[in-house]
Amino acid sequence: MTETRTTCPYCGVGCGVIARVDQGEVSVRGDENHPANVGRLCVKGAALGETTGLAGRLLHPQVDGERCDWEQALATTGERLRSIIDEFGPQAVAFYASGQLLTEDYYAANKLMKGFIGAANIDTNSRLCMSSAVTGYKRAFGADVVPCSYLDVEQSDLVVLVGSNAAWAHPVLYQRLAQAKRERPQMKIVVIDPRRTATCDIADLHLALAPGSDGGLFVGLLHAIMQRGGEAGAFDEGEQAAAVAADWPPERVAQFCELPLMEVNTFFDWFISAPRAITLYTMGINQSASGSDKCNAIINVHLASGKIHRPGCGPFSLTGQPNAMGGREVGGLATQLAAHMNFEPEDLARVARFWGTERLAQTPGLMAVELFEAIGRGEVKAVWIMGTNPAVSLPDSLAVCQALATCPLVIVSEVAADTDTSRFAHIRFPAQAWGEKNGTVTNSERRISRQRAFLPSPGEARPDWWIVAQIARELGYGEAFAWQHAHEVFSEHAALSGYENNGRRAFDISRLANLTREQWDEMTPVQWPVGKPLDLTRGWRDSGRLRMLPVLPERTRARPDARYPFILNSGRIRDQWHTMTRTGTVARLMQHIAEPRVEIAPSDAALHGVQSGDLLRISSPRGLMVARAFVSEAQRPRSLFVPMHWNAVFARQGKVNTLVAPVCCPQSGQPESKQTAVRISVWQPAWQGELFSRDNVTLPPSVHWLRKAASVTHYTLAGDKPALPWLMAFCEAQGWQLQQAQAGTAWHLLAWHNGELMLAFWSDRHLPETDSARVEAAFARSPATAFERHALLSGQAADEQRAPGRTVCSCYGVGENTIQEAIRNGCHSVAALGRTLRCGTNCGSCIPELNALLARALLPEAAD
Ligand code: SF4
């Protein structure tokens, strides 16, 4: 048995994890010594052990769809890249990296692209998540510096969460905040979000403002601060910023944001009177055509009120990914050079000296959306995609797929064998996964932690930095990439951060550059700058003064009209991560929300004849998707919410980004993924069904399908053409014995082979209720008795025990029906439910939903 301290590979909270390997079984627990989580894990982190299997892994290199050895894959890639560079120049090549990469991987990729291929066309999926925040910090502080820590969140008097459903997207930080609120109930929490999300569970005030109108709220707050003695003159452009804000009295703010005036004034009063205030913001702010200005509007109010750079205060952008911050540190964005240096003459000369190159890119490269547009136009002819799935995650995903389909050279470094993006790849490199990789990541609070390997590298999987270094060698730059170990890459990166720094760049970790391999292996989490206090004015070379940006609120580019009357918001759900390549394979993480769903307000549902459970077609001028309706009072009228995770591997027509236009913030290049004008129509298919199968089933193109994680293959299906002819033909072709039953419009079909259940199908006009656990158990029983066969065929009603229902607590697998029954039986608090069912007693992510169930069941009694 071994235990290894490492870091969670999901969100930017960056929790410490202790991974235990015992006879090949991996289990995890929170690391009590890690300052980010102090022992806590959320449900995704707690399920990490279940994601380390090799099912679905890419284990060997492939060229043009054929397996080959590394030597051939590297040589072919080098030849094809060289030929494109020689014929079309370095600008015809691009890398698209990921906040999932380790810092060492990112450093290597950035060095090869900018330093030696000689173009700055390396961008990253972090562009989609926090590049507006980067722009905001750089414009205000002169450097990309996040001036806060998680401790500040706990120590504050007023915590403002804007555009952040932290309860689901940053669960452990949310749990820390919830705990602080329990200990200091006088601490106030304000949630600013068009939806009433799970985060509102602990809010003293929820401002359900019009989608995308947040800028108005913060510009108006600046005006209110200035009226009550705020200080703007000490900052560059402070007076101009205050003058612009003077046109935004609370009445105008209330109208712009569609909020009651009283709520606006309450928020302003609380912010101004709080001794300490901190604003947490993330994708709801950043993913906007005016995202950078919104970030500066937030920073402005902290500067003018003096609520910055002291405990419990500051503008705190939360990163979505585990190493988005590491990517920012190495220069993994096309608009940065390296180590917080820019495309300025002094920086260019310095980095060229350090890397020993004469080929350094001299100008910024293509940002994510531009990059794929350039591929579509044929200007970029080779793209290397590392650890990300742009065919799902970029806006206008149909155009992205078309671009990839026509690109002469698509290289993919991946863990998963099949992703929407890798289907377009000419060359596939098998990368190491979490548990096999070795390196560092940086979380939202600038804390660098080690991700350590505790599993052997399977098949021919290799570290990403190694693959980059080998390709550099093939291109003739091997000398500059002669690292033998990730520790050497880290040392070089750390040395560059201090190179000719002289106190001018805040990002300085050069004290770590001389760590021995053993010391690096033992490295404990550390915040940068290492060994120095954070000085926010360090980035301002001339005045040394911070800057307030004069910003005006803007409306969203998406304008609903008679044809597209809804504003669609996209975002994360509690138990899934990104495009589900990891979490989508874990059955218990699939059970909270098991399919793409569209949340709609009751008034809109009534107007459009929609009921919960209906299938809706959602369309925009860009494309179409299908999702199941979920009527929710948490949703603002004329707005919809759809999860961002589903893709072509898990659903037909489940990708929300087919709808989203590639409209970006002009300063940051970040797409406006939070607001898209769409319309809906109810789709009433001729039938809907649940299909369970021991093996994969080839589904005809006419069938709408969703794949669900289970111990057997499980699809939810719907269609307009009859299902039974092709299904029975499929079973008969296998030589299976069929058993079927019909009652009205309901069909049940079971297929058996040598007494083993091979396939089970239930269909009806509406989706029939099936108890997945019971069906899966039937697949495990062999051979089944005649009684068992008939009981299964006659449906789950034969089972005396009621199905547990939709999973609410994923840690202990507690379903909604079970919880409702416990409430009926006298469990009238979260604590009582926890004592009886254990739900909510581990990671705590389900507590907001437990509270909602209690509130609904106990009305008009108050839930505690
Ligand atoms: Fe991982 Fe984020 Fe959950 Fe922590 S909060 S365990 S980093 S997903």
Side-chain angles (χ1 to χ4, degrees), residues 407-456:
C407 185
L409 180 58
V410 178
I411 306 160
V412 167
S413 301
E414 248 303 339
V415 164
D418 182 24
T419 72
D420 289 37
T421 300
S422 69
R423 291 174 182 183
F424 297 100
H426 304 97
I427 293 175
R428 298 176 191 198
F429 292 136
Q432 287 179 335
W434 182 81
E436 301 150 15
K437 295 176 176 209
N438 192 16
T440 55
V441 290
T442 310
N443 71 2
S444 291
E445 56 167 359
R446 312 186 319 276
R447 194 176 300 280
I448 300 169
S449 299
R450 290 279 280 108
Q451 230 187 66
R452 295 184 175 90
F454 54 87
L455 292 170

Side-chain angles (χ1 to χ4, degrees), residues 8 10-11 14-15 41-42 45 171-172:
C8 175
Y10 295 128
C11 82
C15 296
L41 289 180
C42 77
V172 164

Side-chain angles (χ1 to χ4, degrees), residues 81-105:
L81 279 172
R82 172 52 65 204
S83 137
I84 287 171
I85 294 167
D86 288 348
E87 189 174 351
F88 302 102
Q91 297 293 348
V93 176
F95 290 0
Y96 189 62
S98 162
Q100 305 286 303
L101 294 180
L102 303 182
T103 299
E104 294 71 15
D105 305 324

Side-chain angles (χ1 to χ4, degrees), residues 8-17 37 40-46 48 169-173 577:
C8 175
Y10 295 128
C11 82
V13 177
C15 296
V17 171
N37 56 318
R40 295 179 177 90
L41 289 180
C42 77
V43 62
K44 289 188 288 287
L48 271 168
H170 296 94
V172 164
L173 180 59
W577 175 253

Side-chain angles (χ1 to χ4, degrees), residues 534-832:
L534 181 66
D535 174 3
L536 281 186
T537 60
R538 197 179 291 270
W540 282 114
R541 297 177 182 186
D542 302 324
S543 65
R545 299 203 311 174
L546 305 178
R547 185 173 171 213
M548 286 175 66
L549 262 283
V551 290
L552 272 176
E554 286 182 35
R555 293 207 177 275
T556 64
R557 296 283 179 81
R559 298 283 157 79
D561 57 21
R563 289 182 65 212
Y564 297 101
F566 288 96
I567 285 283
L568 174 81
N569 177 5
S570 64
R572 295 169 197 263
I573 58 173
R574 194 188 74 188
D575 290 3
Q576 290 300 332
W577 175 253
H578 276 198
T579 60
M580 305 166 72
T581 47
R582 254 190 304 242
T583 47
T585 61
V586 180
R588 71 178 162 121
L589 296 183
M590 261 293 197
Q591 284 162 13
H592 178 233
I593 296 177
E595 55 184 282
R597 77 180 191 186
V598 49
E599 299 181 19
I600 181 169
S603 55
D604 291 325
L607 196 65
H608 292 264
V610 175
Q611 295 188 347
S612 277
D614 285 348
L615 287 172
L616 298 192
R617 288 194 169 109
I618 312 165
S619 54
S620 79
R622 302 272 155 184
L624 170 84
M625 74 172 291
V626 174
R628 202 170 293 281
F630 180 76
V631 180
S632 165
E633 290 183 355
Q635 199 63 32
R636 230 183 114 91
R638 297 186 308 285
S639 69
L640 307 169
F641 175 81
V642 170
M644 53 165 267
H645 308 283
W646 270 267
N647 54 69
V649 175
F650 287 92
R652 177 168 283 161
Q653 296 184 313
K655 260 198 288 194
V656 72
N657 273 313
T658 55
L659 307 174
V660 179
V663 173
C664 296
C665 169
Q667 282 79 33
S668 69
Q670 180 151 0
E672 188 166 80
S673 304
K674 289 291 178 186
Q675 290 100 27
T676 302
V678 299
R679 65 171 173 242
I680 57 170
S681 61
V682 177
W683 175 39
Q684 286 178 325
W687 59 271
Q688 298 190 55
E690 299 281 6
L691 175 68
F692 298 81
S693 172
R694 197 172 286 275
D695 299 310
N696 281 334
V697 179
T698 308
L699 299 167
S702 61
V703 172
H704 176 76
W705 58 265
L706 305 156
R707 193 154 69 84
K708 296 174 173 173
S711 59
V712 294
T713 302
H714 177 190
Y715 292 103
T716 294
L717 306 178
D720 288 322
K721 293 186 182 169
L724 283 181
W726 62 262
L727 201 51
M728 289 174 71
F730 172 81
C731 294
E732 281 163 4
Q734 317 296 317
W736 296 340
Q737 184 193 354
L738 296 182
Q739 188 186 3
Q740 54 178 306
Q742 183 184 8
T745 54
W747 276 94
H748 300 177
L749 176 76
L750 303 178
W752 302 91
H753 184 62
N754 295 334
E756 282 192 339
L757 183 60
M758 304 304 289
L759 179 145
F761 179 60
W762 285 265
S763 82
D764 205 338
R765 282 302 306 269
H766 297 284
L767 191 64
E769 262 193 48
T770 54
D771 178 352
S772 304
R774 184 164 184 260
V775 180
E776 287 175 44
F779 274 90
R781 253 190 318 269
S782 171
T785 65
F787 175 79
E788 285 167 343
R789 290 180 182 210
H790 285 289
L792 188 62
L793 188 68
S794 63
Q796 279 54 58
D799 197 332
E800 296 202 340
Q801 274 195 332
R802 198 174 170 210
R806 182 186 66 89
T807 298
V808 173
C809 171
S810 299
C811 293
Y812 294 115
V814 187
E816 188 170 339
N817 295 343
T818 310
I819 294 165
Q820 283 169 340
E821 179 141 4
I823 296 171
R824 279 194 296 276
N825 290 338
C827 292
H828 287 180
S829 69
V830 168

Side-chain angles (χ1 to χ4, degrees), residues 284-295:
I285 289 292
N286 299 335
Q287 288 179 335
S288 158
S290 57
S292 302
D293 283 355
K294 287 178 183 172
C295 292

